[in-house]
């Protein structure tokens, strides 16, 4: 069975700093999808970034980028120039290809990120 | 983008009563709907997967007679917490990949349930 591990329960950084959230996963699949979701205090889940395992290039979305190390089964999220609005719970999630998974996500425990002014 | 609504957003009920939570896809069809519950400062725990027109599939340890799921149409899925007790107090979230078969999930805003 697939598992997702987030080893940092909580992190805090100063505004404008760069922060990296770690995520490791375990799977025997060769193709899959990885996601970072953000859950702000409103508790609405928001997709931050996604990565397809067969793509070697790391995904980026503005200030958010990932370091995807397939062999190491590592998928860290880097937030550059952090902003107060980045304060949230961040969840790493894994999904097997849709045909094998019915789109079910496997979730990490989450990292609470606090951006201090 | 695709929008999923949930109603109610916040409900308080007495122990022993039933509460229905609705999850609607507003501008697309949702063949599959996932229902989660989330305790404070914890991750999402999948309760069940519903598919339009068929019975829901429940995760191990989730009582199907207590958490009734109905997915009668492509735009509406409901979760009914029957004979609610204080331990059922939690945050309930629905999500769907839609019918476009996108790998991205669309989440409802969640329902906060407090059972007194």
């Amino acid at each position: 069975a697939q598992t997702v591990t987030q080893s940092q329960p909580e992190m805090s950084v100063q505004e404008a700093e760069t922060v990296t959230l770690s995520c490791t996963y375990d799977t025997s699949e060769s193709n899959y999808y990885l996601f970072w979701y953000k859950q702000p205090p409103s508790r609405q889940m928001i997709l931050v970034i996604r990565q397809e395992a067969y793509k070697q290039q790391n995904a980026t979305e503005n200030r958010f980028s990932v370091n995807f190390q397939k062999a190491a089964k590592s998928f860290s999220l880097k937030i550059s120039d952090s902003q107060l609005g980045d304060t949230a719970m961040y969840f790493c999630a894994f999904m097997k290809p849709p045909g094998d998974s019915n789109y079910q996500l496997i979730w990490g425990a989450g990292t609470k990120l606090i951006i201090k002014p | 983008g695709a929008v999923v609504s949930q109603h109610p957003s916040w409900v308080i009920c007495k122990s022993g009563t039933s509460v229905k939570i609705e999850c609607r896809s507003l501008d697309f069809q949702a063949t599959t709907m996932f229902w989660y519950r989330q305790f404070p400062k914890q991750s999402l725990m999948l309760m069940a997967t519903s598919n339009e027109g068929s019975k829901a599939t429940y995760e191990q340890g989730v009582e199907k007679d207590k958490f009734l799921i109905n997915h009668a149409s492509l735009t509406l899925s409901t979760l009914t917490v029957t004979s609610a007790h204080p331990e059922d107090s939690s945050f309930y979230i629905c999500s769907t990949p839609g019918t476009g078969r996108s790998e991205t999930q669309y989440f409802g805003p969640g329902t906060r349930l407090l059972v007194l």
Side-chain angles (χ1 to χ4, degrees):
Chain A
Q2 288 75 28
T3 59
V4 177
T5 301
Q6 292 179 251
S7 59
Q8 304 151 313
E10 183 170 326
M11 298 183 71
S12 66
V13 297
Q14 294 293 137
E15 191 176 7
E17 290 183 347
T18 294
V19 60
T20 298
L21 309 182
S22 66
C23 172
T24 58
Y25 57 94
D26 188 26
T27 184
S28 59
E29 304 287 332
S30 59
N31 192 26
Y32 46 85
Y33 297 84
L34 295 163
F35 305 85
W36 278 99
Y37 279 91
K38 166 184 177 180
Q39 188 179 39
S42 68
R43 302 190 80 171
Q44 171 74 62
M45 296 293 288
I46 301 167
L47 176 66
V48 175
I49 201 164
R50 68 176 232 179
Q51 175 81 41
E52 296 166 72
Y54 66 86
K55 290 187 177 179
Q56 293 184 334
Q57 188 172 7
N58 288 325
T60 63
E61 287 287 343
N62 301 312
R63 298 183 295 109
F64 300 87
S65 61
V66 297
N67 183 3
F68 173 48
Q69 301 291 325
K70 191 173 184 179
K73 296 180 182 175
S74 171
F75 183 60
S76 61
L77 174 70
K78 185 172 82 171
I79 305 174
S80 304
D81 185 27
S82 58
Q83 300 175 358
L84 297 179
D86 295 333
T87 292
M89 282 289 290
Y90 286 81
F91 294 99
C92 180
F94 170 99
M95 188 182 80
K96 292 197 293 184
D100 296 335
S101 68
N102 195 28
Y103 299 90
Q104 181 175 330
L105 291 165
I106 309 300
W107 297 89
T111 295
K112 182 178 181 180
L113 176 64
I114 299 170
I115 308 300
K116 297 179 289 187
Chain B
V3 176
V4 176
S5 70
Q6 257 183 267
H7 178 80
S9 58
W10 182 212
V11 57
I12 302 174
C13 69
K14 293 182 178 180
S15 186
T17 60
S18 294
V19 175
K20 179 185 284 188
I21 300 170
E22 294 185 346
C23 185
R24 292 181 185 274
S25 55
L26 299 183
D27 53 1
F28 65 100
Q29 295 179 330
T31 304
T32 299
M33 194 71 76
F34 298 103
W35 285 96
Y36 297 93
R37 67 186 298 182
Q38 184 182 32
F39 292 107
K41 300 183 181 180
Q42 293 188 22
S43 188
L44 280 69
M45 184 188 79
L46 181 65
M47 299 174 67
T49 304
S50 71
N51 290 289
E52 185 269 336
S54 61
K55 290 184 178 180
T57 302
Y58 291 80
E59 296 299 303
Q60 191 172 9
V62 178
E63 299 175 61
K64 62 181 180 181
D65 294 331
K66 180 166 185 63
F67 298 100
L68 299 177
I69 291 174
N70 184 280
H71 195 157
S73 80
L74 286 172
T75 59
L76 174 65
S77 178
T78 61
L79 167 66
T80 301
V81 183
T82 62
S83 187
H85 291 283
E87 58 266 30
D88 299 324
S89 299
S90 190
F91 190 67
Y92 293 87
I93 306 173
C94 62
S95 77
T96 177
T99 54
R101 294 313 191 189
S102 165
E103 293 76 28
T104 300
Q105 299 271 333
Y106 302 101
F107 287 83
T111 296
R112 196 183 305 266
L113 170 64
L114 177 61
V115 185
L116 301 176

